[in-house]
């Protein structure tokens, strides 16, 4: 006959407060309580330390930055030089010692200020000891001209002709010095189409030669270097396609999501494909007859010049936003027999 362990309630009953012992004679409950006290004490000390280092920081809106600026530009850094100036940053404690810098910028677009200005010099700072570790330290600006990165700058003019960040020298990258997405070479910079309302479009072919059984594809970049906000879609479907001087419209599905295009915003690598959903509308001369059918895009073996006009929308126009088309740079491709 099989014997089973005794499962009676009295056999396994444990008095309240009783606990098993762990090696060393320390009760598990006591050990847990001690550990929790140590953790709570450590967290309290850390919280007090962080609060002691906290500092007030003003929040700036784009409108406030623009209104108080003498110069608002989109520009690329081309060189940085140390100055002999030594200073202590304002509005931060304990004292943060810094060294003055002068960074020269090539200006792409002037949004406020002298429209003929081609270059400007930004006066800013770096830490005296770059390896110094800080809690809640300053947000200083640094630039690498080799990366060809563009910045949106809100600047005050100083007495010596240099410019300084509108929001101050302690945290310039938080508001006044804003890095724009994407980095381009000088050659790519020239490839953009003419801007419309500050918005410009660049088109790049995935390759320049295509067989007749292939569908040519491109990548599209859109940027807003103007002063106004627009709506757009990151899709080819709302745009227009120019092939050898003939404009084609998208006739496929239009399941789209809108995107905002504020000043300084860029969108990259939007796909454009020269498929049969692009159709040209023939001139409708005789209105007594049905409108002529649309002509699907068909690329014959030859060289072709392609442009794309991206759609942006002025949402300030009521009741319906106004559509504006911004043409890209022209791109030449060649179609060859398979």
């Amino acid at each position: 006959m099989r014997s089973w362990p005794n499962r009676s309630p009295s056999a396994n009953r444990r008095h309240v407060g009783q606990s098993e012992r762990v090696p060393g004679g320390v009760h598990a409950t006591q050990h847990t309580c001690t550990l929790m006290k140590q953790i709570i004490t450590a967290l309290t000390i850390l919280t007090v330390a962080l609060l002691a280092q906290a500092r007030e920081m003003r929040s700036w809106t784009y409108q406030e930055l623009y209104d108080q600026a003498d110069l608002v530009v989109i520009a690329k850094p081309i060189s940085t030089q140390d100055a002999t100036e030594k200073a202590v940053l304002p509005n931060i404690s304990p004292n943060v010692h810094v060294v003055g810098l002068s960074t020269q910028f090539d200006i792409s677009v002037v949004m406020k200020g002298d429209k003929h200005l081609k270059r400007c010099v930004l006066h800013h700072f770096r830490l005296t000891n770059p390896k110094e570790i800080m809690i809640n330290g300053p947000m200083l600006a640094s630039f690498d001209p080799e990366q060809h990165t563009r910045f949106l700058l809100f600047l005050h003019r100083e007495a010596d002709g240099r410019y300084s960040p509108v929001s101050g020298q302690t945290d310039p990258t938080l508001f006044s010095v804003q890095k724009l997405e994407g980095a381009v070479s000088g050659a790519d910079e020239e490839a953009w189409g003419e801007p419309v309302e500050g918005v410009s479009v660049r088109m790049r072919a995935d390759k320049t030669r295509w067989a007749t059984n292939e569908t040519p594809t491109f990548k599209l970049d859109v940027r807003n270097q103007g002063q106004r906000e627009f709506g757009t879609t990151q899709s080819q479907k709302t745009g227009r396609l120019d092939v050898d001087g003939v404009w084609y419209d998208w006739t496929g599905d239009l399941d789209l999501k809108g995107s905002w295009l504020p000043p300084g915003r860029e969108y990259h690598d939007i796909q454009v494909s020269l498929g049969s959903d692009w159709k040209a509308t023939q001139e409708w001369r005789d209105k007594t007859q049905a409108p002529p059918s649309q002509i699907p895009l068909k690329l014959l073996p030859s060289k072709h010049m392609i442009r794309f006009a991206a759609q942006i929308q002025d949402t300030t126009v009521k009741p319906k936003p106004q559509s504006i088309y911004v043409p890209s740079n022209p791109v030449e491709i060649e179609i060859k027999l398979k």
Side-chain angles (χ1 to χ4, degrees):
M1 182 176 179
R2 181 172 297 177
S3 174
W4 295 95
N6 188 343
R7 294 296 185 186
S8 66
S10 61
N12 292 319
R13 185 179 295 126
R14 179 176 294 165
H15 294 294
V16 176
Q18 184 179 355
S19 61
E20 296 178 358
R21 293 183 177 274
V22 295
V26 180
H27 289 84
T29 302
Q30 295 172 336
H31 178 74
T32 301
C33 290
T34 302
L35 181 60
M36 287 301 296
K37 289 179 181 178
Q38 292 174 345
I39 292 173
I40 292 171
T41 301
L43 288 174
T44 302
I45 294 172
L46 178 60
T47 301
V48 171
L50 290 174
L51 289 173
Q53 294 290 336
R55 56 190 174 95
E56 291 187 3
M57 300 170 67
R58 174 181 172 180
S59 179
W60 292 73
T61 66
Y62 277 109
Q63 191 63 56
E64 289 173 331
L65 291 167
Y66 184 86
D67 290 344
Q68 296 194 30
D70 298 312
L71 183 68
V72 181
V73 296
I74 293 176
K76 295 187 298 184
I78 56 176
S79 65
T80 297
Q81 292 183 337
D82 269 14
T84 57
E85 175 186 13
K86 298 184 185 299
V88 175
L89 291 177
N91 305 319
I92 186 169
S93 180
N95 287 346
V96 177
H97 296 271
V98 290
V99 176
L101 299 171
S102 292
T103 296
Q104 189 173 48
F105 283 82
D106 266 342
I107 297 173
S108 302
V109 175
V110 177
M111 302 168 67
K112 181 180 180 181
D114 183 358
K115 301 296 183 182
H116 302 290
L117 198 62
K118 300 300 181 184
R119 288 188 176 181
C120 67
V121 176
L122 175 65
H123 173 212
H124 59 112
F125 292 92
R126 66 168 175 82
L127 295 175
T128 300
N129 178 12
K131 296 182 179 180
E132 184 176 0
I133 298 175
M134 297 182 182
I135 297 176
N136 207 8
M139 301 178 69
L140 303 177
S142 61
F143 308 98
D144 181 1
E146 298 297 324
Q147 293 187 359
H148 302 284
T149 304
R150 292 184 299 273
F151 291 82
L152 175 61
L153 307 174
F154 296 88
L155 306 174
H156 279 312
R157 182 177 173 85
E158 297 185 329
D160 61 4
R162 294 184 298 173
Y163 291 86
S164 61
V166 166
S167 57
Q169 293 285 13
T170 301
D171 300 295
T173 58
L174 196 58
F175 297 106
S176 297
V177 179
Q178 299 189 22
K179 182 178 179 180
L180 301 180
E181 296 179 4
V184 297
S185 68
D188 284 341
E189 182 67 23
E190 297 174 359
W192 290 85
E194 288 296 318
V196 177
E197 297 285 351
V199 177
S200 49
V201 177
R202 177 175 61 191
M203 193 177 194
R204 295 167 285 126
D206 289 336
K207 61 181 183 180
T208 57
R209 290 182 174 84
W210 302 83
T212 52
N213 64 334
E214 294 180 309
T215 300
T217 55
F218 302 78
K219 288 184 176 63
L220 201 72
D221 305 323
V222 179
R223 68 183 182 186
N224 184 0
Q225 295 183 321
Q227 302 176 22
R228 301 172 57 201
E229 183 176 63
F230 296 95
T232 189
T233 56
Q234 297 181 60
S235 171
Q236 65 176 342
K237 299 178 182 181
T238 57
R240 303 191 70 203
L241 185 68
D242 174 11
V243 180
D244 300 327
V246 177
W247 285 100
Y248 292 77
D249 295 299
W250 179 263
T251 61
D253 67 274
L254 285 174
D255 184 15
L256 302 170
K257 293 181 69 174
S259 298
W260 287 112
L261 188 63
R265 178 69 56 82
E266 298 188 9
Y267 294 115
H268 293 274
D269 297 336
I270 300 168
Q271 297 296 317
V272 175
S273 176
L274 305 194
S276 58
D277 281 323
W278 292 103
K279 295 180 181 180
T281 301
Q282 301 183 65
E283 186 178 357
W284 188 10
R285 294 182 179 179
D286 187 353
K287 303 298 182 180
T288 64
Q289 302 294 321
S293 59
Q294 293 179 305
I295 304 174
L297 174 62
K298 184 176 181 180
L299 296 174
L300 300 175
S302 179
K303 290 184 178 180
H304 299 276
M305 193 64 70
I306 314 296
R307 285 193 306 164
F308 187 90
Q311 183 197 63
I312 60 174
Q313 290 194 319
D314 184 352
T315 57
T316 63
V317 178
K318 303 298 182 183
K320 184 178 179 181
Q322 177 187 6
S323 293
I324 303 170
Y325 290 93
V326 183
S328 73
N329 55 300
V331 177
E332 185 180 77
I333 62 170
E334 184 176 5
I335 306 298
K336 291 194 169 187
L337 290 171
K338 179 181 175 183

